[in-house]
Amino acid sequence: MSAANRGVRGVVPPQETRVSPTVFKLPDLGEGLTEAEILEWKVSVGDTVTVDQIIVEVETAKAAVDVPIPVAGTVTELYAKAGTVVDVGSPLIAVTARSHATAGAENAAAEQYREEERAGSGNVLVGYGTSANRRSRRRAAKPAPEPAAAPAATASRHGVPRVISPVVRRLAKDNGIDVAALAPTGPGGVILRRDVEEAIAQAAPATSPTSTGLTTTGPAGEEAGVVRVPLKGVRRTMADKLSRSRREIPDATTWVDVDATRLVKLKNKIAHADPEARVGMLALLAAVCVTGLRRFPELNAYVDTERQEIVRLPHVHLGFAAQTDRGLVVPVVRDAHAMTPAELAAALRERTEAAREGRLSPSDLTGGTFTLNNYGVFGVDGSTPIINHPEAAMLGVGRITDKPWAHKGKVRLRKVTQLSFTFDHRVCDGGVAGGFLRFVADCVERPEVLVTHR
């Protein structure tokens, strides 16, 4: 064979290249997350994908995330059905490049992805550093057909089917399913969630529809009509965090009723003077909290249990409780101490909208140093909330309603609300907690106090 036919240094000419499928795996999701549930495939087998195209929406323990692909080509295989929990590093999708040129771009993008994943880059989930624009998770997409199940493997080398996902393991245990008796349908003989759910359904057929996402299946012999709601995703994360808070934090709560009439008037005056600012009650209360934490920095802290130290923080990353269709979440406004009320209002709106649309990233839900909980929007007066671990305190605000109140020597109807303050008794005593709450109450009753203390 001549040199021309052999090609340069043994490289096959482009027209003779046969590109093997590239298997793209679930990337490192950051924040210590190790798995995610497939919510919706955005592509089907046979579709053409481009670099950075969103291929699947997954739900982690903290947020719903759009996952782009760092390679281009034709989809040849989807490795998991919607509803399946996939571990980080497990195969998601196989793509075959369309040409030699595409293969080169694919390899370059894939190598960039590997470098970013090894370095812990935040670009791993969205864009991989190649595109600044993120696609909306609510765009229309044609439904993907269910991928064919992998051939069932009989057992691992030890004779027992492999159960990789702790979610699947827990689901089997809670429902009395022996995984050794199941025929695995996952790659490499892995027991998938669908395998366990199928076994549960066979053991106790459902008695009502599950279109709402609820399941009525349970252990054999369970009373008919019992509804079981899977504790997963955001709800499971909040359950774990709240349980840990109750276990570790010796919390205490103190409260006070306050006359919020002047704060309500201030909000209305701001709305009249600058409608574009859209400064609402939550933003004003956030400003009050930030000002109070300047006076009482002991509360902007957390306890390092391993080193037995109280860690006081120089910045205020303000969390606020937000109710969404996916459950309770606590978005975080970073560096709230450096913001004006108008800037706080804008940040709170943006975080609230993102939370309700499921667009928050894991980093948007972590790192808070203090939480504001406005449960008054639910029409209740008071509460003793659980501290958002590992923070040291939380301010709760009840509904603002007309009540008889002593004012200037007479009983009049005033706008009254209840403030409750829950704190970690390890970081301070009742004097500091009471001082903070009283300062907050003074700011609510006399908002001009904010001007002299900001």
Side-chain angles (χ1 to χ4, degrees), residues 95-117:
V95 174
T96 301
R98 298 184 302 279
S99 66
H100 181 75
T102 304
E106 170 189 298
N107 292 336
E111 180 58 29
Q112 180 182 9
Y113 154 70
R114 286 190 290 270
E115 290 179 0
E116 289 181 344
E117 188 177 41

PDB file of all heavy atoms in Angstrom, residues 95-117:
ATOM      1  N   VAL A  95     -24.935   8.842  21.371  1.00  0.00           N
ATOM      2  CA  VAL A  95     -25.028   9.696  20.185  1.00  0.00           C
ATOM      3  C   VAL A  95     -23.934   9.293  19.212  1.00  0.00           C
ATOM      4  O   VAL A  95     -22.780   9.103  19.596  1.00  0.00           O
ATOM      5  CB  VAL A  95     -24.884  11.190  20.568  1.00  0.00           C
ATOM      6  CG1 VAL A  95     -24.824  12.051  19.324  1.00  0.00           C
ATOM      7  CG2 VAL A  95     -26.025  11.627  21.457  1.00  0.00           C
ATOM      8  N   THR A  96     -24.303   9.176  17.935  1.00  0.00           N
ATOM      9  CA  THR A  96     -23.333   8.868  16.882  1.00  0.00           C
ATOM     10  C   THR A  96     -23.141  10.096  16.026  1.00  0.00           C
ATOM     11  O   THR A  96     -24.117  10.698  15.557  1.00  0.00           O
ATOM     12  CB  THR A  96     -23.810   7.700  16.009  1.00  0.00           C
ATOM     13  OG1 THR A  96     -23.993   6.541  16.838  1.00  0.00           O
ATOM     14  CG2 THR A  96     -22.783   7.390  14.925  1.00  0.00           C
ATOM     15  N   ALA A  97     -21.887  10.497  15.826  1.00  0.00           N
ATOM     16  CA  ALA A  97     -21.583  11.674  15.011  1.00  0.00           C
ATOM     17  C   ALA A  97     -21.982  11.410  13.574  1.00  0.00           C
ATOM     18  O   ALA A  97     -21.909  10.291  13.074  1.00  0.00           O
ATOM     19  CB  ALA A  97     -20.090  12.011  15.109  1.00  0.00           C
ATOM     20  N   ARG A  98     -22.350  12.509  12.881  1.00  0.00           N
ATOM     21  CA  ARG A  98     -22.826  12.354  11.502  1.00  0.00           C
ATOM     22  C   ARG A  98     -21.696  12.359  10.475  1.00  0.00           C
ATOM     23  O   ARG A  98     -21.874  11.930   9.358  1.00  0.00           O
ATOM     24  CB  ARG A  98     -23.806  13.493  11.173  1.00  0.00           C
ATOM     25  CG  ARG A  98     -25.035  13.484  12.036  1.00  0.00           C
ATOM     26  CD  ARG A  98     -26.008  14.565  11.614  1.00  0.00           C
ATOM     27  NE  ARG A  98     -25.416  15.893  11.658  1.00  0.00           N
ATOM     28  CZ  ARG A  98     -25.283  16.602  12.765  1.00  0.00           C
ATOM     29  NH1 ARG A  98     -25.672  16.102  13.915  1.00  0.00           N
ATOM     30  NH2 ARG A  98     -24.762  17.814  12.724  1.00  0.00           N
ATOM     31  N   SER A  99     -20.576  12.888  10.870  1.00  0.00           N
ATOM     32  CA  SER A  99     -19.477  12.973   9.911  1.00  0.00           C
ATOM     33  C   SER A  99     -18.163  13.055  10.660  1.00  0.00           C
ATOM     34  O   SER A  99     -18.123  13.187  11.872  1.00  0.00           O
ATOM     35  CB  SER A  99     -19.632  14.219   9.028  1.00  0.00           C
ATOM     36  OG  SER A  99     -19.493  15.392   9.826  1.00  0.00           O
ATOM     37  N   HIS A 100     -17.057  13.011   9.906  1.00  0.00           N
ATOM     38  CA  HIS A 100     -15.744  13.116  10.533  1.00  0.00           C
ATOM     39  C   HIS A 100     -15.579  14.470  11.218  1.00  0.00           C
ATOM     40  O   HIS A 100     -15.043  14.571  12.316  1.00  0.00           O
ATOM     41  CB  HIS A 100     -14.662  12.926   9.463  1.00  0.00           C
ATOM     42  CG  HIS A 100     -13.258  12.987  10.021  1.00  0.00           C
ATOM     43  ND1 HIS A 100     -12.714  11.955  10.747  1.00  0.00           N
ATOM     44  CD2 HIS A 100     -12.317  13.972   9.966  1.00  0.00           C
ATOM     45  CE1 HIS A 100     -11.481  12.285  11.110  1.00  0.00           C
ATOM     46  NE2 HIS A 100     -11.228  13.509  10.649  1.00  0.00           N
ATOM     47  N   ALA A 101     -16.061  15.533  10.555  1.00  0.00           N
ATOM     48  CA  ALA A 101     -15.933  16.875  11.129  1.00  0.00           C
ATOM     49  C   ALA A 101     -16.736  16.991  12.415  1.00  0.00           C
ATOM     50  O   ALA A 101     -16.298  17.571  13.406  1.00  0.00           O
ATOM     51  CB  ALA A 101     -16.399  17.921  10.116  1.00  0.00           C
ATOM     52  N   THR A 102     -17.928  16.419  12.392  1.00  0.00           N
ATOM     53  CA  THR A 102     -18.764  16.455  13.583  1.00  0.00           C
ATOM     54  C   THR A 102     -18.114  15.673  14.714  1.00  0.00           C
ATOM     55  O   THR A 102     -18.165  16.055  15.872  1.00  0.00           O
ATOM     56  CB  THR A 102     -20.148  15.862  13.282  1.00  0.00           C
ATOM     57  OG1 THR A 102     -20.714  16.578  12.198  1.00  0.00           O
ATOM     58  CG2 THR A 102     -21.064  15.983  14.495  1.00  0.00           C
ATOM     59  N   ALA A 103     -17.482  14.541  14.352  1.00  0.00           N
ATOM     60  CA  ALA A 103     -16.813  13.741  15.370  1.00  0.00           C
ATOM     61  C   ALA A 103     -15.709  14.537  16.047  1.00  0.00           C
ATOM     62  O   ALA A 103     -15.519  14.464  17.258  1.00  0.00           O
ATOM     63  CB  ALA A 103     -16.236  12.469  14.739  1.00  0.00           C
ATOM     64  N   GLY A 104     -14.972  15.337  15.257  1.00  0.00           N
ATOM     65  CA  GLY A 104     -13.925  16.148  15.868  1.00  0.00           C
ATOM     66  C   GLY A 104     -14.478  17.164  16.834  1.00  0.00           C
ATOM     67  O   GLY A 104     -13.957  17.354  17.939  1.00  0.00           O
ATOM     68  N   ALA A 105     -15.568  17.832  16.435  1.00  0.00           N
ATOM     69  CA  ALA A 105     -16.195  18.803  17.331  1.00  0.00           C
ATOM     70  C   ALA A 105     -16.739  18.113  18.564  1.00  0.00           C
ATOM     71  O   ALA A 105     -16.664  18.622  19.681  1.00  0.00           O
ATOM     72  CB  ALA A 105     -17.319  19.535  16.588  1.00  0.00           C
ATOM     73  N   GLU A 106     -17.296  16.922  18.339  1.00  0.00           N
ATOM     74  CA  GLU A 106     -17.845  16.147  19.453  1.00  0.00           C
ATOM     75  C   GLU A 106     -16.763  15.801  20.467  1.00  0.00           C
ATOM     76  O   GLU A 106     -16.933  15.976  21.671  1.00  0.00           O
ATOM     77  CB  GLU A 106     -18.486  14.884  18.896  1.00  0.00           C
ATOM     78  CG  GLU A 106     -18.872  13.873  19.957  1.00  0.00           C
ATOM     79  CD  GLU A 106     -19.282  12.567  19.318  1.00  0.00           C
ATOM     80  OE1 GLU A 106     -20.255  12.559  18.564  1.00  0.00           O
ATOM     81  OE2 GLU A 106     -18.618  11.558  19.584  1.00  0.00           O
ATOM     82  N   ASN A 107     -15.614  15.335  19.937  1.00  0.00           N
ATOM     83  CA  ASN A 107     -14.549  14.946  20.843  1.00  0.00           C
ATOM     84  C   ASN A 107     -14.001  16.132  21.610  1.00  0.00           C
ATOM     85  O   ASN A 107     -13.685  16.027  22.804  1.00  0.00           O
ATOM     86  CB  ASN A 107     -13.420  14.275  20.058  1.00  0.00           C
ATOM     87  CG  ASN A 107     -13.848  12.929  19.486  1.00  0.00           C
ATOM     88  OD1 ASN A 107     -14.761  12.303  20.009  1.00  0.00           O
ATOM     89  ND2 ASN A 107     -13.207  12.510  18.403  1.00  0.00           N
ATOM     90  N   ALA A 108     -13.891  17.278  20.942  1.00  0.00           N
ATOM     91  CA  ALA A 108     -13.390  18.477  21.617  1.00  0.00           C
ATOM     92  C   ALA A 108     -14.340  18.909  22.718  1.00  0.00           C
ATOM     93  O   ALA A 108     -13.919  19.249  23.828  1.00  0.00           O
ATOM     94  CB  ALA A 108     -13.199  19.607  20.601  1.00  0.00           C
ATOM     95  N   ALA A 109     -15.643  18.909  22.421  1.00  0.00           N
ATOM     96  CA  ALA A 109     -16.620  19.317  23.427  1.00  0.00           C
ATOM     97  C   ALA A 109     -16.670  18.329  24.577  1.00  0.00           C
ATOM     98  O   ALA A 109     -16.790  18.719  25.740  1.00  0.00           O
ATOM     99  CB  ALA A 109     -18.004  19.431  22.779  1.00  0.00           C
ATOM    100  N   ALA A 110     -16.562  17.034  24.232  1.00  0.00           N
ATOM    101  CA  ALA A 110     -16.595  16.030  25.285  1.00  0.00           C
ATOM    102  C   ALA A 110     -15.383  16.167  26.199  1.00  0.00           C
ATOM    103  O   ALA A 110     -15.484  16.019  27.413  1.00  0.00           O
ATOM    104  CB  ALA A 110     -16.638  14.632  24.666  1.00  0.00           C
ATOM    105  N   GLU A 111     -14.220  16.464  25.606  1.00  0.00           N
ATOM    106  CA  GLU A 111     -13.019  16.635  26.427  1.00  0.00           C
ATOM    107  C   GLU A 111     -13.156  17.858  27.326  1.00  0.00           C
ATOM    108  O   GLU A 111     -12.738  17.841  28.489  1.00  0.00           O
ATOM    109  CB  GLU A 111     -11.795  16.782  25.524  1.00  0.00           C
ATOM    110  CG  GLU A 111     -10.488  16.977  26.301  1.00  0.00           C
ATOM    111  CD  GLU A 111     -10.211  15.832  27.263  1.00  0.00           C
ATOM    112  OE1 GLU A 111     -10.648  14.697  26.977  1.00  0.00           O
ATOM    113  OE2 GLU A 111      -9.576  16.078  28.300  1.00  0.00           O
ATOM    114  N   GLN A 112     -13.764  18.930  26.778  1.00  0.00           N
ATOM    115  CA  GLN A 112     -14.000  20.120  27.607  1.00  0.00           C
ATOM    116  C   GLN A 112     -14.906  19.772  28.772  1.00  0.00           C
ATOM    117  O   GLN A 112     -14.685  20.184  29.909  1.00  0.00           O
ATOM    118  CB  GLN A 112     -14.641  21.219  26.771  1.00  0.00           C
ATOM    119  CG  GLN A 112     -14.918  22.496  27.586  1.00  0.00           C
ATOM    120  CD  GLN A 112     -15.603  23.548  26.765  1.00  0.00           C
ATOM    121  OE1 GLN A 112     -16.017  23.288  25.646  1.00  0.00           O
ATOM    122  NE2 GLN A 112     -15.739  24.735  27.313  1.00  0.00           N
ATOM    123  N   TYR A 113     -15.945  18.990  28.504  1.00  0.00           N
ATOM    124  CA  TYR A 113     -16.854  18.563  29.577  1.00  0.00           C
ATOM    125  C   TYR A 113     -16.100  17.777  30.651  1.00  0.00           C
ATOM    126  O   TYR A 113     -16.248  18.011  31.841  1.00  0.00           O
ATOM    127  CB  TYR A 113     -17.982  17.709  28.995  1.00  0.00           C
ATOM    128  CG  TYR A 113     -18.581  16.752  29.984  1.00  0.00           C
ATOM    129  CD1 TYR A 113     -19.349  17.222  31.048  1.00  0.00           C
ATOM    130  CD2 TYR A 113     -18.343  15.380  29.886  1.00  0.00           C
ATOM    131  CE1 TYR A 113     -19.885  16.348  31.977  1.00  0.00           C
ATOM    132  CE2 TYR A 113     -18.871  14.509  30.811  1.00  0.00           C
ATOM    133  CZ  TYR A 113     -19.645  15.009  31.845  1.00  0.00           C
ATOM    134  OH  TYR A 113     -20.170  14.142  32.767  1.00  0.00           O
ATOM    135  N   ARG A 114     -15.230  16.842  30.203  1.00  0.00           N
ATOM    136  CA  ARG A 114     -14.496  16.038  31.173  1.00  0.00           C
ATOM    137  C   ARG A 114     -13.572  16.906  32.021  1.00  0.00           C
ATOM    138  O   ARG A 114     -13.441  16.703  33.227  1.00  0.00           O
ATOM    139  CB  ARG A 114     -13.709  14.937  30.442  1.00  0.00           C
ATOM    140  CG  ARG A 114     -14.585  13.806  29.920  1.00  0.00           C
ATOM    141  CD  ARG A 114     -13.745  12.656  29.435  1.00  0.00           C
ATOM    142  NE  ARG A 114     -13.032  12.985  28.217  1.00  0.00           N
ATOM    143  CZ  ARG A 114     -13.526  12.774  26.992  1.00  0.00           C
ATOM    144  NH1 ARG A 114     -14.723  12.265  26.860  1.00  0.00           N
ATOM    145  NH2 ARG A 114     -12.817  13.083  25.925  1.00  0.00           N
ATOM    146  N   GLU A 115     -12.925  17.895  31.378  1.00  0.00           N
ATOM    147  CA  GLU A 115     -12.042  18.777  32.134  1.00  0.00           C
ATOM    148  C   GLU A 115     -12.829  19.579  33.161  1.00  0.00           C
ATOM    149  O   GLU A 115     -12.405  19.751  34.301  1.00  0.00           O
ATOM    150  CB  GLU A 115     -11.311  19.729  31.174  1.00  0.00           C
ATOM    151  CG  GLU A 115     -10.274  19.032  30.309  1.00  0.00           C
ATOM    152  CD  GLU A 115      -9.608  20.004  29.355  1.00  0.00           C
ATOM    153  OE1 GLU A 115      -9.960  21.209  29.383  1.00  0.00           O
ATOM    154  OE2 GLU A 115      -8.745  19.578  28.572  1.00  0.00           O
ATOM    155  N   GLU A 116     -14.008  20.093  32.761  1.00  0.00           N
ATOM    156  CA  GLU A 116     -14.799  20.898  33.682  1.00  0.00           C
ATOM    157  C   GLU A 116     -15.345  20.044  34.811  1.00  0.00           C
ATOM    158  O   GLU A 116     -15.412  20.475  35.963  1.00  0.00           O
ATOM    159  CB  GLU A 116     -15.955  21.568  32.934  1.00  0.00           C
ATOM    160  CG  GLU A 116     -15.463  22.671  32.005  1.00  0.00           C
ATOM    161  CD  GLU A 116     -16.609  23.346  31.275  1.00  0.00           C
ATOM    162  OE1 GLU A 116     -17.717  22.770  31.265  1.00  0.00           O
ATOM    163  OE2 GLU A 116     -16.404  24.435  30.735  1.00  0.00           O
ATOM    164  N   GLU A 117     -15.728  18.812  34.492  1.00  0.00           N
ATOM    165  CA  GLU A 117     -16.255  17.958  35.532  1.00  0.00           C
ATOM    166  C   GLU A 117     -15.164  17.601  36.536  1.00  0.00           C
ATOM    167  O   GLU A 117     -15.391  17.594  37.744  1.00  0.00           O
ATOM    168  CB  GLU A 117     -16.847  16.690  34.929  1.00  0.00           C
ATOM    169  CG  GLU A 117     -17.582  15.851  35.964  1.00  0.00           C
ATOM    170  CD  GLU A 117     -18.237  14.639  35.348  1.00  0.00           C
ATOM    171  OE1 GLU A 117     -17.606  14.011  34.486  1.00  0.00           O
ATOM    172  OE2 GLU A 117     -19.375  14.337  35.714  1.00  0.00           O
TER     173      GLU A 117
END
